[in-house]
Amino acid sequence: MVLSHLGPWLGFSKTQPPHPLLLHTCAHTPCLGRWNQQHENLEKLNMQAILDATASQGEPIQELLVTHGKIPTLVEELIAVEMWKQKVFPVLCRLEDFKPQNTFPIYMVLHHEASIINLLETAFFHKEVCESAEDTILDLVDYCHRKLTLLVAQSGHGGPPEEEESQYGTPMQELQKQAELMEFEIALKALSVLRYITDCVDSLSLSTLSRMLSTHNLPCLLVELLEHSPWSRQEGGKLQQFESGRWQTVFPSEQQKLSKLDGQVWIALYNLLLSPEARARYCLTSFARGQLLKLRAFLTDTLLDQLPNLADLQGFLAHLALTEAQPPKKDLVLEQIPEIWERLERENRGKWQAIAKHQLRHVFSPSEQELRLQARRWAETYRLDVLEAVAPEQPRCAYCNAEASKRCSRCQNEWYCCRECQVKHWEKHGKACVPAAQDDRAK
C-alpha cells in the first residue's frame, strides 16, 4: 500500500501539553480522545516506515520526522508511556472495582510504547535522526539503559514468558502475561536503538558521552548482555533464539552464525571502545578492565570471520591485558542531565492513585457502543493488507520453523510444512485450536 498523504499523520504537537496518560482531572478527559487519534497516526507512520525500509524505496517517514522536528516529541511520548506502565498501571490493577470485561483498551496503551520504540528503531538507522533528537538524546540513552538493565536482570529468572496463550486464567492475568512478553521485545528494540546511537558517538555531546560511559558504564552492561544472552536459550536439548516475536529453533548447521542481537552488542562495544572520542572519555578502572577482558573468550575465529572489524577490538583487549588499570577520574565537569522523566514524575508525584481511579471511570470502562466504535477504528488502522505487506516473508512451520505452505484447516491460525509436523505439534496447538474454531463457528 502506498500512502500519499503523510502530513496529517505528523499532527502531534511538538510542544506537549500535560500528557493524557498522566491526567487525573475530569477537565482533561477530551485529551484522551486526542491520544487515541495520535496512537492511530503513530501506528500508520510505524507501518509505513517499515514498508519503506523493506521495499528500499527511500524513507520519507524518517525525513519528515526530522524536517518537522518530531523526534523529541516521540522520545517524550515514549517515556510518558513507560512512566504510566510503572506508576499507574500497577495501581489500576489493584483497584477493587477494576474488573474490565474487555482488556483491549489497556492493551493498546501498553502496545503504544512498543510502536514508538519500533518507529525509533527504524528511523535511528540514519545518523541525521540522532542529531535531530537534540537534548532528548540524553533521555533516550537513559531509557535504553533502564530497558537493558531489566533485560540482564530478567535473564537470571528464566527469561520472558512463553508467547502462546493459555485457555485458563482471567483476562487480566492474560494481559499481565502479554505485558511481560511485550516488555521483553521492547528491551530488544531498545538495544538496537542504543547501537544506532553509538554509531554517532564521535558527534555526540560531551554530556551524552559522559552519561553513556561514566554514569551508566554501558560497555560493562553490554558485556553482561553477551554473557547472559537473554535472547537465546536451551529448550528440550535444542538451541532457540528469540526472533520476530517468538522463540525459534536454531538448526545445528546455523548455530555458529552470529545472531542479529549479538551483532548489535558487538558493534555497540566496538563503537564505544575504539572510537577516538569515547576512548578519550572512558576511564578503564580495575572493574571495567576485568569486565572487558571477559570479551576475549568470545572472540573466536568464527566470530571474526563474520565481523572482521572485531580484529581491532581483539588487539585493543590484548593491549588492555598488559596495562594497569586507571584510577577514577575526578575532573569537575558541568553537564546536562535528562529532564523528561524527572519533570513528569515531579508534576504527577502523589497523584498516581487519583490518575488510576479517573482512568478507570473515564477511559477503561467504555460502554458497548464506545467499544464497537473504537473497534472499527482499530480495524481500519490494522488493515490485513497492510499487516501482510509489513511482514511479507514466507510463513514458518509452527513445529520445525521451516518454510510452510499448509495452514491448520480447523482454526486457520497456525502454519505447517507437512502433515507430520502438524501431528507432532497437535498436543501443544490443540489447546488453542479447538476453542478458536468454536469461537469462529459461534460468530
Side-chain angles (χ1 to χ4, degrees):
M1 181 184 69
V2 177
L3 300 169
S4 57
H5 301 289
L6 300 174
W9 294 1
L10 293 162
F12 42 92
S13 62
K14 184 174 182 180
T15 304
Q16 290 278 21
H19 198 276
L21 286 175
L22 302 174
L23 294 175
H24 69 288
T25 58
C26 293
H28 293 294
T29 301
C31 292
L32 293 164
R34 294 200 300 272
W35 182 87
N36 285 329
Q37 181 63 55
Q38 182 159 313
H39 172 73
E40 293 169 17
N41 292 344
L42 190 140
E43 281 292 347
K44 293 173 182 177
L45 287 169
N46 188 24
M47 289 187 284
Q48 184 64 44
I50 296 173
L51 286 172
D52 292 339
T54 303
S56 300
Q57 297 177 350
E59 301 189 26
I61 297 299
Q62 162 259 323
E63 295 172 3
L64 285 170
L65 290 173
V66 172
T67 301
H68 293 275
K70 298 302 182 182
I71 297 299
T73 303
L74 287 173
V75 175
E76 178 154 352
E77 185 87 358
L78 181 71
I79 294 173
V81 182
E82 181 195 20
M83 179 168 288
W84 182 90
K85 286 171 61 177
Q86 291 190 24
K87 303 292 187 179
V88 180
F89 182 51
V91 177
L92 193 65
C93 293
R94 290 195 298 267
L95 295 177
E96 292 183 1
D97 49 348
F98 183 61
K99 298 176 182 179
Q101 298 299 314
N102 192 307
T103 58
F104 198 67
I106 306 174
Y107 176 83
M108 294 309 297
V109 179
L110 297 173
H111 181 67
H112 192 63
E113 182 182 7
S115 298
I116 298 172
I117 193 65
N118 193 77
L119 179 58
L120 289 175
E121 181 194 27
T122 305
F124 265 76
F125 178 79
H126 305 272
K127 292 187 177 182
E128 60 268 23
V129 174
C130 185
E131 296 172 0
S132 72
E134 301 173 350
D135 293 342
T136 61
I137 196 70
L138 285 164
D139 298 274
L140 187 56
V141 166
D142 268 29
Y143 172 87
C144 293
H145 175 260
R146 289 193 294 270
K147 295 300 180 184
L148 298 189
T149 301
L150 289 173
L151 196 58
V152 171
Q154 190 179 51
S155 65
H157 297 85
E162 294 291 340
E163 62 268 22
E164 66 266 10
E165 295 184 4
S166 170
Q167 63 188 84
Y168 307 104
T170 66
M172 280 306 300
Q173 288 173 335
E174 288 298 322
L175 182 66
Q176 292 277 9
K177 182 179 175 182
Q178 291 172 343
E180 289 178 31
L181 179 60
M182 196 182 304
E183 186 68 26
F184 179 74
E185 296 185 64
I186 289 170
L188 299 183
K189 297 289 184 181
L191 171 59
S192 295
V193 171
L194 181 65
R195 174 255 147 142
Y196 292 137
I197 293 175
T198 65
D199 285 345
C200 307
V201 69
D202 287 334
S203 60
L204 294 175
S205 68
L206 175 60
S207 296
T208 306
L209 273 178
S210 176
R211 197 81 181 167
M212 297 170 72
L213 299 172
S214 300
T215 306
H216 297 317
N217 200 348
L218 288 179
C220 289
L221 179 59
L222 293 171
V223 172
E224 289 287 318
L225 279 175
L226 278 180
E227 279 194 300
H228 293 90
S229 190
W231 45 83
S232 301
R233 70 179 186 184
Q234 291 289 335
E235 187 73 15
K238 297 181 179 179
L239 175 65
Q240 293 185 334
Q241 291 180 345
F242 194 85
E243 294 181 7
S244 303
R246 62 187 298 176
W247 289 102
Q248 300 185 16
T249 300
V250 182
F251 297 111
S253 60
E254 298 181 350
Q255 289 184 5
Q256 295 298 317
K257 184 178 178 181
L258 184 67
S259 72
K260 176 183 175 182
L261 291 166
D262 283 307
Q264 298 283 40
V265 177
W266 280 112
I267 294 172
L269 279 167
Y270 180 91
N271 292 334
L272 290 174
L273 295 176
L274 297 186
S275 164
E277 287 293 327
R279 288 184 67 173
R281 304 290 177 188
Y282 189 42
C283 183
L284 291 166
T285 62
S286 57
F287 172 76
R289 181 175 176 273
Q291 287 292 101
L292 295 178
L293 289 178
K294 294 178 182 179
L295 294 174
R296 292 190 296 175
F298 296 95
L299 288 167
T300 63
D301 292 339
T302 303
L303 176 61
L304 293 175
D305 287 341
Q306 297 175 73
L307 280 178
N309 287 349
L310 294 184
D312 296 334
L313 179 60
Q314 190 177 46
F316 166 79
L317 294 174
H319 180 265
L320 180 63
L322 301 175
T323 60
E324 296 292 331
Q326 301 174 4
K329 295 180 180 179
K330 298 181 180 181
D331 298 338
L332 177 62
V333 179
L334 298 177
E335 58 179 294
Q336 292 175 288
I337 59 173
E339 62 174 26
I340 297 176
W341 177 279
E342 182 179 350
R343 171 170 53 80
L344 290 174
E345 188 173 38
R346 183 177 63 252
E347 292 172 353
N348 296 279
R349 187 174 294 123
K351 302 175 184 177
W352 309 120
Q353 184 88 5
I355 293 172
K357 290 182 177 179
H358 170 75
Q359 293 184 351
L360 173 61
R361 292 192 302 270
H362 298 281
V363 183
F364 299 124
S365 300
S367 66
E368 187 176 344
Q369 181 179 0
E370 291 172 333
L371 199 57
R372 281 201 301 267
L373 177 62
Q374 191 59 51
R376 283 198 296 269
R377 296 184 64 174
W378 284 326
E380 178 62 26
T381 301
Y382 298 99
R383 287 170 51 188
L384 185 59
D385 60 334
V386 176
L387 295 179
E388 289 179 345
V390 169
E393 67 271 7
Q394 179 76 13
R396 294 282 177 174
C397 176
Y399 182 76
C400 71
N401 199 39
E403 288 190 0
S405 58
K406 306 178 189 303
R407 182 180 287 183
C408 176
S409 59
R410 186 191 296 263
C411 69
Q412 299 292 314
N413 290 333
E414 289 286 15
W415 289 83
Y416 298 97
C417 63
C418 61
R419 175 67 177 169
E420 183 181 358
C421 282
Q422 184 177 15
V423 172
K424 291 180 179 178
H425 192 246
W426 175 251
E427 182 179 357
K428 183 178 182 180
H429 174 55
K431 298 176 183 179
C433 178
V434 175
Q438 291 174 346
D439 289 344
D440 289 341
R441 285 197 295 270
K443 293 176 183 177

